[in-house]
Amino acid sequence: MQSSLLLSNRRRLRANPRWIIGIVVIVFAAIYVFPLLWDLATSLRPNDDIYRYPPTLVPGSFTLENYIYVLTQMQGFLRYLANSIVVTLATVLIVLISSAMGGYAFGMRRFRGQNVLFLAIILVLTIPYIMYLIPIYMMEDRLHLKDTWLGLVLPYVALNLPWGLLIMRGAFSTIPLDIRDAAVIDGCGEIRMWWRILVPIARPALAASTIITFVFAWQEFLFASTLMPSNNWQTLPVGIVWMRDELQTVVMGRIGAMIVISIIPVLVLFLALRDFFIKGLSEGMLKG
Amino acid sequence: MRPQLRDRLTLLFFLAPALAFVLVFIAFPIAFSGYLSLTKYNYAIDKAPTFIGLVGYFRTVVSDGFFRTALFNQLEFAVAYVIITFVVSLAVAIMINELRHGVHFLQAIFYLPMIVPLSLVGITFAWILDPNFGIFNTLLHALGLQTRPVDWFGDPTTAIFAIVAAQSWKMIGFALIIFIAGLQGISSELREAARIDGANFFQETTRVVLPLLRPYLLIGSIWILIDSLKVFDIPRVVTKGGPGVSTLTLYLYSWRLAFQRLEMGRASQVAYLTAAIILLLSWGLNRLFRPEVAQRA
């Protein structure tokens, strides 16, 4: 009797704000997603509909001509897309390998200076990137690495490694040491044991590192715009901006189409690996 | 002795790739730009850096008008950006945490901007806020809130706040992750106890939830603060530091010194001063929130 009274009381108190909160959140979410929807809407409108004065919220007509034009007539855009894909995939691959190796060493081995070294690497996350950029630029200028895929991949790996190491160390340190010892007793070499037994166990952490590295490399602008001065080597975030500046007016439909196309790969990956992304980031940010 | 040596070598094998990248592309550059900041070095003209000690820093801080402008713009940006990002993401996190249905879908909407490159966020906002064909002015006009179109990115008084809006829009997802993680860790028993004692939603939030959330508020605000000093992409892409120098930020100024004027020494000074400001502010925030955390624990 008393408990049911409490329950109904509680419900009444709780039910009241939740409706209001729900409506507020939905309205806010609608406003929030608007810029992306507006890019999409703009990319699907013909030019005379986009550049109408005063502008209209509801499209007058739909067309795919912007997408067809961008994908068939703009060589530059396809080149940027290729650059982005190559640089991002190479970065992800190298980060995965080296952070799986380093994460094992930091998570399951004991050695002198371990914690200090790890802390130093993590501290890197808070240092302004521009501090590395100046010497790296001079280095790459001397070594003729500017305007090459490798010249962008190498610094990207270094910038993303701390995240990868943080996540992989976390994963390896939860694996019981018994598993390792048992494998060693069975005569399994350490490197083989790492590759055959431990790396498969750490697969969720690898997924988290993959999505986080992919998202960061795909959208990086500062290094890409500095280390890739010639147009032919630019990645999407830099190249699309360049096209907008060059072509100037009356091309927002095409720019919108380029933005939408450039978001699709990362969106697909994000939707597939979202939980890993959120979990990896929250772990990293909370420890960092 | 031999197995021990072998053990050492295996350890080195595992550490080598990560250490190599960190040494070559992070540790060395930090040290080298530290050295550069103590020199006068024009990359196009000078054969080698000339060591001048702290004189360069002194000049930058005391007599470089652009540095002072950049610092002022940076602080203006940081204050607006930290407050807006913090308040909005905390409010959204608390509200979403109350909901029972559609939580995943709603969270996804707020996480979505995290995957959009900042430079393209800049282009998108420039298009929405365009003085002639932008939809924002039209909507304001239709709602009767505006009589004359505003050029948000082109007006020196509004430009920096337009950048705040665009960058906050992207960053809120990151802060949301931290706050939601914190909210999920709060036991529902405490909150129900408060409710049974007659606390309404507002009291429950301010008296129970927020104090328990404090460590997360600290981490969230430090990340937002660090991010606020990295603002570069949007001023570079959309406003080019202008109109005039109204959106010249520390990052942008350092970048321009280095890669447009090739003054590597001066650029490194600005970069180091920026890093010093980040450390100082993070430490200050830590001091601000920490004592109470310790008390509670």
Side-chain angles (χ1 to χ4, degrees), chain A residues 45-157:
Chain A
R45 296 166 88 165
N47 249 343
D48 53 347
D49 192 37
I50 296 171
Y51 291 96
R52 181 182 291 177
Y53 195 87
T56 50
L57 188 62
V58 182
S61 58
F62 284 108
T63 172
L64 284 175
E65 70 186 28
N66 289 316
Y67 287 89
I68 294 165
Y69 186 88
V70 163
L71 287 173
T72 57
Q73 306 293 311
M74 300 186 103
Q75 296 300 319
F77 177 72
L78 297 177
R79 177 77 206 192
Y80 304 148
L81 187 63
N83 288 338
S84 271
I85 291 173
V86 171
V87 168
T88 305
L89 289 184
T91 304
V92 168
L93 195 69
I94 304 176
V95 166
L96 282 186
I97 296 170
S98 36
S99 63
M101 292 171 71
Y104 164 75
F106 279 112
M108 296 189 86
R109 297 277 308 237
R110 296 283 159 268
F111 55 93
R112 221 184 303 149
Q114 186 172 21
N115 291 330
V116 176
L117 191 61
F118 190 73
L119 204 72
I121 293 174
I122 295 312
L123 221 67
V124 162
L125 289 174
T126 61
I127 291 173
Y129 283 5
I130 196 134
M131 272 165 73
Y132 323 127
L133 182 57
I134 294 166
I136 288 176
Y137 175 87
M138 291 165 64
M139 218 152 66
E140 297 209 345
D141 191 35
R142 300 254 155 97
L143 299 173
H144 304 288
L145 280 171
K146 270 169 34 186
D147 283 331
T148 64
W149 284 330
L150 188 65
L152 201 51
V153 169
L154 292 176
Y156 276 9
V157 171

Side-chain angles (χ1 to χ4, degrees), chain A residues 131-146 226-227, chain B residues 28-29 32-33 35-37 39 41-44 46-49 258-259 262-265 267-268:
Chain A
M131 272 165 73
Y132 323 127
L133 182 57
I134 294 166
I136 288 176
Y137 175 87
M138 291 165 64
M139 218 152 66
E140 297 209 345
D141 191 35
R142 300 254 155 97
L143 299 173
H144 304 288
L145 280 171
K146 270 169 34 186
T226 311
L227 299 175
Chain B
F28 167 72
F32 193 70
S33 63
Y35 164 69
L36 280 178
S37 75
T39 66
Y41 186 36
N42 186 304
Y43 196 60
D46 301 330
K47 280 227 164 60
F259 302 109
L262 298 172
E263 291 282 358
M264 299 306 185
S268 300

Side-chain angles (χ1 to χ4, degrees), chain A residues 162-179:
Chain A
W163 279 107
L165 280 175
L166 198 66
I167 293 168
M168 295 310 297
R169 184 184 85 143
F172 281 119
S173 62
T174 58
I175 298 176
L177 286 172
D178 301 353
I179 292 182

Side-chain angles (χ1 to χ4, degrees), chain A residues 14 18 32 39 42 53 55 101 109 128-129 131 135 137-138 141 219 221-222 226 237 252 274 282 285, chain B residues 7 13 29 33 41 43 98 104 108 114 119 124 127 132 138 169-170 177 195 223 232-233 251 255 259:
Chain A
R14 215 146 160 51
R18 195 179 289 143
Y32 204 74
D39 273 339
T42 306
Y53 195 87
M101 292 171 71
R109 297 277 308 237
Y129 283 5
M131 272 165 73
Y137 175 87
M138 291 165 64
D141 191 35
Q219 48 181 287
F221 180 84
L222 177 64
T226 311
M252 204 49 215
R274 193 186 91 164
S282 80
M285 288 195 287
Chain B
D7 192 58
F13 164 81
S33 63
Y41 186 36
Y43 196 60
E98 288 299 309
H104 274 270
M114 288 194 289
S119 61
T124 302
W127 169 235
N132 299 313
T138 311
W169 180 73
K170 185 183 162 72
I177 292 178
R195 238 174 280 137
W223 278 103
F232 172 79
D233 303 23
Y251 247 59
W255 187 86
F259 302 109

